[in-house]
Amino acid sequence: MNIVEIKCTASDGCSLPEYKTKGAAGADVCANLSEPVVLAPGEVKLIPTGLCCAIPEGYEIQVRPRSGLAAKHGITCLNTPGTIDSDYRGEIKVILINLGKENFTINNGDRIAQFVVSPVTIGNFCKVDILSDTERGAGGFGSTGC
């Protein structure tokens, strides 16, 4: 198990990410708010979590939406999955958007996203003049069918 050290930015503390079941890949993350935030349809807001992390080198935290919020209210994360790099030490904020048809209120302590701790493979980028051929070739979006 990899240890992710967490510092709370709020003077009154914060909620640590929490795995809700034994088999969960994502740990639920809560909003850390001094007052409720209303997210209007189509609106995007940065929602603070009150969490700063020391992620082990060679890992990242991916910020992902919660399926229940998306299915029931149309609330999801932009830039999904968002990447928190191992050398970032600032407060983690979640970019939420309301794709629903009604205002959605976020209260302090509401579960707003999930963190997935994932290993990172570093690529060695090398400039070449010619790439090897494949069956797909340069076929882009939709080139392999619907």
Side-chain angles (χ1 to χ4, degrees), residues 7-32:
K7 173 185 161 189
C8 293
T9 61
S11 60
D12 58 348
C14 59
S15 299
L16 295 180
E18 183 179 359
Y19 295 98
K20 291 296 187 180
T21 65
K22 183 179 177 184
D28 287 343
V29 179
C30 297
N32 189 280

Side-chain angles (χ1 to χ4, degrees), residues 10-127:
S11 60
D12 58 348
C14 59
S15 299
L16 295 180
E18 183 179 359
Y19 295 98
K20 291 296 187 180
T21 65
K22 183 179 177 184
D28 287 343
V29 179
C30 297
N32 189 280
L33 302 168
S34 57
E35 59 186 41
V37 171
V38 176
L39 201 57
E43 191 171 25
V44 175
K45 287 189 179 175
L46 276 173
I47 307 299
T49 64
L51 304 174
C52 299
C53 297
I55 303 164
E57 188 173 337
Y59 289 84
E60 67 170 328
I61 287 180
Q62 297 177 359
V63 181
R64 298 185 183 185
R66 293 193 66 248
S67 59
L69 283 180
K72 295 175 185 174
H73 305 285
I75 305 299
T76 192
C77 300
L78 285 181
N79 192 36
T80 300
T83 293
I84 310 301
D85 298 306
S86 64
D87 59 350
Y88 178 67
R89 294 295 185 268
E91 181 183 4
I92 298 171
K93 296 181 180 182
V94 177
I95 308 168
L96 290 185
I97 185 169
N98 183 350
L99 299 175
K101 295 181 176 148
E102 298 178 6
N103 286 349
F104 183 79
T105 301
I106 304 161
N107 296 293
N108 185 51
D110 284 355
R111 295 180 292 161
I112 57 168
Q114 47 186 331
F115 283 176
V116 175
V117 180
S118 299
V120 172
T121 301
I122 302 298
N124 291 316
F125 298 99
C126 177
K127 184 178 177 184

